[in-house]
Amino acid sequence: MCGGFTCSKNTLVGLNVIYILVSFLMIGVAVHGKVSGIVTSLPIVGGITACGVFLLMISVIGLIGAVRHHQVLLFFYMVVLFLIFLIQFSCSCAALAINEGDEIKLIKSAWKTAETKSPSLVIQAEQTFDCCGLGLGEDNIPYLEPTAADQNFTIANDVFKNYPDADCYHAANTTMNTDCHTCYSHISDKVNSGFNAAGGLGLFFSFTEFIGVWLAARFRNQKDPRANPSAFL
C-alpha cells in the first residue's frame, strides 16, 4: 500500500536516483558557466559545483541506506542532505542576486589579481576570446576599444604570436585591427548566464531535498514487514 514500508523504500530509492542525475546536471551547468573562469574564479558557481559533488556522494549513501534499511546511514543521510540544502539554497540565492555592478567588480578584481600573480591566465583568456585587455576603466565603466596599455601587454607577452588570423593579432610596428575589442564585451554575457543558470537550477532542486529529508526520516521509523517485529528499535 502507498505510504507503507515498500512504497517508502521504492520512493526513496527513486528519489536518490533523481538526485544523482540532478547532481550531474548541476555540475555540468556550473562548469559550463565557469567558462569565464579562465579569467576569474566565480566562487558562487564554485559553491554550487561543490554542492553537486556532495549531493552525488550523499545520494549513493542514501541508496545504500534505503536498500538495506540501515538506521545509521539513513540518519547520516538526513543530516548531510539538510546541510547541502542550506549551502545550495544560499549559493543559489546569491547567484541570482548578483547584479551587473557586482559582476563588474568581481571580474575586474580577479583580472587585476591574475595580471599580477598569474599573467598566463590573462594570456589564455585573450587567446580564447580573441580580445585585448579587460575593458573596464577606473570608474568601472566598460569600453570597447583596447587602450595603449592593453595593447602593450598583449604585444609584450606575444599573446597572438601564433595566431596570425586572430582579430587582435598585432604585428610589430603596425596598428591593431579595428575589429579587435576588449575582453569584457566577450565574457560579460557568459558570466551573467552562468550565474543565472547555476543559481536557478540550484534553487529549484534545493527544495526537493526537503522531500528527501522528510522521506528518509519517515522510512527510518517504519517496520520492515519481513523482519522480526521484536527486533525493531
Side-chain angles (χ1 to χ4, degrees):
M1 114 180 137
C2 187
F5 179 87
T6 302
C7 180
S8 296
K9 176 180 178 179
N10 293 337
T11 303
L12 190 59
V13 169
L15 189 63
N16 279 283
V17 171
I18 294 175
Y19 284 161
I20 291 175
L21 298 178
V22 169
S23 66
F24 282 121
L25 185 61
M26 286 175 59
I27 295 170
V29 170
V31 169
H32 175 72
K34 288 187 69 174
V35 65
S36 56
I38 295 172
V39 295
T40 175
S41 63
L42 305 180
I44 296 174
V45 178
I48 295 176
T49 305
C51 284
V53 173
F54 282 113
L55 182 60
L56 176 62
M57 295 171 59
I58 200 62
S59 297
V60 174
I61 294 176
L63 275 175
I64 298 173
V67 171
R68 297 185 178 181
H69 197 221
H70 197 288
Q71 298 289 310
V72 176
L73 286 181
L74 287 173
F75 178 78
F76 180 75
Y77 170 79
M78 290 164 48
V79 173
V80 176
L81 190 63
F82 182 73
L83 293 177
I84 291 176
F85 162 76
L86 293 178
I87 298 172
Q88 184 175 323
F89 182 80
S90 301
C91 290
S92 299
C93 289
L96 293 174
I98 290 288
N99 56 38
E100 185 178 0
D102 294 331
E103 289 179 9
I104 288 176
K105 292 178 181 178
L106 180 63
I107 293 171
K108 185 176 181 179
S109 174
W111 184 282
K112 295 299 183 184
T113 301
E115 278 186 330
T116 304
K117 298 182 178 180
S118 185
S120 60
L121 293 178
V122 177
I123 294 172
Q124 185 182 358
E126 292 188 349
Q127 291 174 344
T128 300
F129 297 111
D130 191 5
C131 56
C132 177
L134 177 57
L136 289 173
E138 294 299 327
D139 52 2
N140 289 338
I141 296 179
Y143 58 86
L144 194 60
E145 300 299 329
T147 63
D150 296 332
Q151 297 180 30
N152 289 337
F153 177 88
T154 301
I155 296 171
N157 290 277
D158 295 325
V159 176
F160 296 102
K161 181 179 180 180
N162 298 322
Y163 303 91
D165 295 329
D167 289 337
C168 291
Y169 175 74
H170 194 175
N173 301 321
T174 61
T175 58
M176 185 164 284
N177 192 330
T178 55
D179 291 331
C180 178
H181 300 306
T182 55
C183 294
Y184 180 77
S185 61
H186 292 270
I187 68 175
S188 58
D189 290 340
K190 291 181 173 59
V191 172
N192 186 57
S193 62
F195 276 129
N196 291 337
L201 182 68
L203 183 63
F204 176 78
F205 285 109
S206 66
F207 290 106
T208 66
E209 289 157 10
F210 262 133
I211 301 176
V213 174
W214 170 79
L215 193 59
R218 186 172 182 272
F219 176 67
R220 186 171 177 267
N221 294 306
Q222 286 181 319
K223 290 183 179 180
D224 186 346
R226 297 169 298 180
N228 182 3
S230 61
F232 180 73
L233 298 178

